Amino acid sequence: MVKFLVKVAKAKAVALLGERLVKLAAGALITIIVARMLGPEATGYYSIVMTWSAFLAPLANLGLNNLVQKSVQSAPDLRTGQQILFTATWLRLIAGFVFAALMFIGFSWYLPSEFEPYQLGAAVLFVGQLFNAFILFEYHQNYLGHFRTLAYSKLGLGILGLIAKLAVLWYGMGIGALFWIVGLEFAAVGVLQYQIYKGHNKSPTNSTEQHGRLTPAWFNWQHGKELLRRSSWLWVSGILSVVYLRIDLIMIERLIDIEAAGVYAAVSRISELWYVIPATLAVRYYPELLKSHQSSWSGYLLLLRKYCGYFFAMALSIAVIIFIVAPPLVPLIFGEKFNAGISVLQIHIWAGVFIFIRYLIGQHLIITGQEPLSLASHGIGAVLNVLLNWWLIPIMGIDGAAWATLISYAYASFFFLFFSGRTRRQLWQLMKVKASGVVVEKETV
């Protein structure tokens, strides 16, 4: 039994998933406590600030995450690979600083009176996100198999952060203090990612070159221009994906009020809690899919279909269970003031079925060089979500926002595949490929 538990603890998926589950569960727990202790209005303010913070992430990452991993892996030598990695990190740090400043100014203008009590905390939160640039080191370490130390270290930091957040709420320090802690947590995780990378990339004996140190000397503008050129589609796609994932909350606050936004944010958190599963597993499976694609198209399709089946089964099971238990679950967790969110949860949870599959489809589009299609799907999904919210919220209230989310997620996550000839053919190949060795011709157009 002990050997089995040790084996489970060492499993890559368990290490990565455990850390992210704790992180998302901690976020959900804080939302629940804020809702219970402070009510829908405070929940709305907290969620609005965190939503603006979520908009900052895709702006600063420049669409480089998976692209950098792919570029480093295909570099002609180790030094070139490291130069690409460090160049991408510098680009993200610069972008993070610029967009954090613009986000702070924009948020101050958007909510001038409500924002004032949380101004300093939000500034720390936005600046702390600069350190998200160092997640590139984590992706690189995951590809090389150095994942356990980082995953369990981040798990420890997440637990410490949760304790700190619970303490500030217990002592009545308010949601402004929560933003401080989240910002400092971003910084701590970034430093950890960098230090573990340095530990695995020490300079060889008698070498004057600092292999593991992020210095300006590593920046290469030629690599930078090539990365930015290739990532432009992914960057815009990432921004649009957050728009269609988060715009509903902003529109509820504008079209109804902050309390309605608080109710919606609280119950939708239950749906979003599960998204950590496909997000983590997709990162875990990406290197396998990439290697399989390089060796065999049929083998790649079989592997992709297997993972799609797993993801769909998980998402469908979660959706059915949450739909059934939503009526007693919402008042139990959040209190009677949040009962209007029961129907929201019963609608919103079904969007997860499409979100689960989208994580794998997103990996497929990158691997097969179809980044512009990813951008198109997110762009149309974002426009569709805004229009549906504008139409349905005045008619149906927060239920309308849930329906808008479900419809736009369904299109942008899956049904967009039917509007491209290439993806229609690949979808058909995915369904008909067999494990018996039958070769499916690779799509090249």
Side-chain angles (χ1 to χ4, degrees), residues 248-264:
D248 47 4
L249 190 62
I250 301 294
M251 295 188 69
I252 290 170
E253 188 270 333
R254 293 285 97 180
L255 295 175
I256 306 178
D257 55 36
I258 195 70
E259 288 194 14
V263 172
Y264 186 89

Side-chain angles (χ1 to χ4, degrees), residues 316-372:
L316 185 62
S317 301
I318 291 167
V320 170
I321 293 171
I322 297 298
F323 180 86
I324 294 171
V325 304
L329 183 66
V330 170
L332 176 66
I333 294 177
F334 300 108
E336 298 296 328
K337 293 181 179 179
F338 290 81
N339 278 353
I342 294 174
S343 55
V344 171
L345 178 58
Q346 289 181 313
I347 300 166
H348 197 282
I349 190 64
W350 293 101
V353 176
F354 300 102
I355 292 293
F356 268 59
I357 298 299
R358 171 66 204 206
Y359 277 100
L360 286 174
I361 292 175
Q363 305 282 37
H364 170 74
L365 295 178
I366 293 171
I367 290 172
T368 55
Q370 300 181 80
E371 292 90 347

